Amino acid sequence: MAARRTAATAAAGSGEDPQSVELDELMPWSVRPLRTGRSWVSGPDPTALRARWERLAAAEGAEQERLFRPSRSRTPHTPVAALPGRSTGTGRFAREPGACPDPVRIAHGPFDEQWLLPDHRLIDAARPELWRVGDERQLFAVEHRYVPRTAGPALSVTHLLPDGHSPAGRPGRIRPLYRRPDAADPNLAPGLLDVLRTRLGPEETAPESVLAWVRAAALSSPSGCRVPLPADAEVWAAGVSLGRELVRLQLRGARGGERPRLPGGRRPYVRAALPARPAGIMYDAEAEALVIGDGRISPVPVGAWQFTVSGVRVLELWFERRAAAAVGATPEGTAPDGPEGTGLDAVGARGWTPEWTSELLELITVLALLDGLRPRQEALRARLERAPLISRDELRAAGVLPVPASVRRPASVLGHQEEGPEGQFALL
């Protein structure tokens, strides 16, 4: 058994573990991260986004060009197709900007919910294929950047449109659970569910169960996420149960679930009001408190404060983005453009908002609860060291591997005409 563990560990380091399967094989259709091309189209405050739109729409000529921040893909004169499911303009922005679209909630990397202006004319690569399949039943798995010696999760699961942002470098792939709307056509290797039902029984082998298992058992490697598949029904059931709880916490009450809550004596509260323009954040380990200027939140478990993804502390990064926006800098923490800070990133900054305080309290709760599930994850991985696994050879013999190229491409989901550039209809 020790020899097996040593071999598996070495293989995981090389990205060639024969006892596990690449997530790219289990969920073969993936989409690259969104590329906005300009930071001002997204941010933590929807009011600021509307103000930016209004300023851009009111500007003309060279001033509009400067505010827009043209790229090779987008300028104020670029006509593009509408985003699926959105009724924004498709003509040139400089000629007919139209009304400001309602900002939509997105997952800006792991554990950070922000807002985006859903206008295709403003976004270099919006990934329309994701918008076509995003509905009230869709879930997205987003891989995290591999960082050696980090204990953070290998991937996140979200119901929101994810931008695929990674806090530690190259963004990961976005993998929808379903290839079509209404939970149709699971994005799983053909024949995988049949193998799992044969080996593990009919219980807990639905697409959502596979995603739950992936969330609980996936491991990071230089080649991407790898997933061991147990041949033991009890191990599978334990992992699926754990994964469902991990996913529930990340969804934060969406899809009919309960919002995460800590026990009464452990719930974080604002003990002193947060300043309008906070400059920094510290953790008082003795008092279990977040100190934000003159503001104070407690209790904050140390596990929530130390929770990392790809080696980056989640709470610190979340705070830094909002602190930067509160003082009028860009969401990435840089100074606004122009000699007087007149770029769109600086528009609409109105200090720290009550909504951000509420979101911070909920994020602390989510991270604390996730940290509390670490012992169960460690126990699951220990069981996997001893349990029989479904091998790659078995999956090949069953025809699951190699995955056919056709399922790596988006499915045809066009059930209606989509408005193309300049009001024409797209033919897909």
Side-chain angles (χ1 to χ4, degrees):
M1 187 60 63
R4 171 183 164 183
R5 185 179 299 110
T6 301
T9 302
S14 65
E16 297 180 354
D17 181 3
Q19 298 298 327
S20 64
V21 184
E22 294 181 8
L23 182 59
D24 189 56
E25 297 171 308
L26 296 181
M27 301 180 72
W29 176 42
S30 67
V31 180
R32 289 178 294 173
L34 276 64
R35 189 178 74 251
T36 61
R38 47 206 54 83
S39 57
W40 59 263
V41 300
S42 64
D45 183 10
T47 301
L49 296 187
R50 292 188 178 94
R52 292 169 185 176
W53 172 284
E54 296 300 334
R55 177 170 176 184
L56 182 65
E60 297 180 352
E63 174 65 3
Q64 187 180 79
E65 190 97 1
R66 185 187 74 82
L67 292 173
F68 189 93
R69 290 185 180 172
S71 64
R72 296 174 64 180
S73 300
R74 294 289 187 272
T75 76
H77 307 281
T78 305
V80 296
L83 284 174
R86 301 288 157 178
S87 58
T88 53
T90 59
R92 293 167 173 79
F93 189 93
R95 188 178 64 202
E96 46 180 345
C100 178
D102 291 333
V104 297
R105 198 73 156 158
I106 64 169
H108 181 52
F111 304 106
D112 193 346
E113 297 184 359
Q114 296 203 12
W115 299 88
L116 173 73
L117 287 171
D119 191 308
H120 211 178
R121 298 171 297 177
L122 311 180
I123 305 171
D124 280 10
R127 313 303 178 199
E129 58 271 39
L130 290 178
W131 296 76
R132 291 192 184 99
V133 300
D135 62 12
E136 67 281 356
R137 301 186 65 182
Q138 182 67 269
L139 294 172
F140 301 94
V142 186
E143 296 180 60
H144 299 159
R145 172 72 166 166
Y146 170 74
V147 175
R149 297 180 300 279
T150 179
L155 55 83
S156 296
V157 176
T158 177
H159 66 292
L160 299 172
L161 178 79
D163 65 5
H165 176 87
S166 171
R170 184 180 179 183
R173 307 288 291 194
I174 301 168
R175 301 182 187 276
L177 179 58
Y178 297 103
R179 291 165 50 81
R180 302 175 191 271
D182 298 322
D185 193 3
N187 180 24
L188 299 173
L192 175 64
L193 290 178
D194 292 335
V195 171
L196 295 178
R197 288 167 183 147
T198 298
R199 292 291 248 129
L200 305 171
E203 299 296 325
E204 295 290 3
T205 51
E208 293 83 359
S209 301
V210 176
L211 180 62
W213 173 264
V214 168
R215 175 62 183 86
L219 299 170
S220 292
S221 80
S223 63
C225 289
R226 304 194 67 90
V227 184
L229 295 175
D232 185 305
E234 291 186 3
V235 174
W236 172 263
V240 170
S241 176
L242 171 60
R244 288 186 182 277
E245 181 65 9
L246 292 167
V247 171
R248 183 189 71 82
L249 292 175
Q250 288 197 261
L251 297 188
R252 307 187 192 188
R255 307 295 160 80
E258 296 181 2
R259 299 198 76 86
R261 300 186 69 181
L262 285 164
R266 301 300 298 162
R267 293 175 192 165
Y269 291 95
V270 177
R271 309 297 178 175
L274 275 59
R277 302 189 184 278
I281 185 171
M282 297 187 302
Y283 183 66
D284 183 338
E286 184 175 352
E288 287 194 314
L290 280 185
V291 181
I292 303 173
D294 294 330
R296 195 174 186 88
I297 295 176
S298 67
V300 178
V302 65
W305 170 249
Q306 294 180 345
F307 197 100
T308 62
V309 173
S310 299
V312 177
R313 192 170 286 165
V314 170
L315 278 176
E316 279 189 305
L317 180 61
W318 185 96
F319 169 81
E320 288 168 3
R321 289 171 175 161
R322 283 153 183 80
V327 298
T330 71
E332 311 310 327
T334 60
D337 65 354
E340 299 179 358
T342 56
L344 292 180
D345 286 309
V347 172
R350 54 191 178 101
W352 190 273
T353 71
E355 292 82 5
W356 293 351
T357 299
S358 298
E359 292 172 19
L360 177 56
L361 294 174
E362 183 171 70
L363 179 59
I364 292 168
T365 298
V366 169
L367 297 181
L369 291 170
L370 288 173
D371 182 70
L373 292 175
R374 287 187 193 274
R376 286 178 62 184
Q377 283 191 282
E378 293 169 0
L380 176 66
R381 287 168 182 168
R383 292 182 71 178
L384 282 169
E385 291 283 353
R386 303 184 300 270
L389 301 178
I390 298 174
S391 68
R392 296 179 60 83
D393 288 341
E394 181 175 344
L395 294 176
R396 289 192 189 98
V400 176
L401 300 180
V403 177
S406 59
V407 297
R408 295 191 179 279
R409 297 189 292 269
S412 176
V413 299
L414 190 62
H416 61 280
Q417 289 182 313
E418 293 180 2
E419 187 176 349
E422 302 288 3
Q424 301 177 20
F425 285 107
L427 298 177
L428 300 181

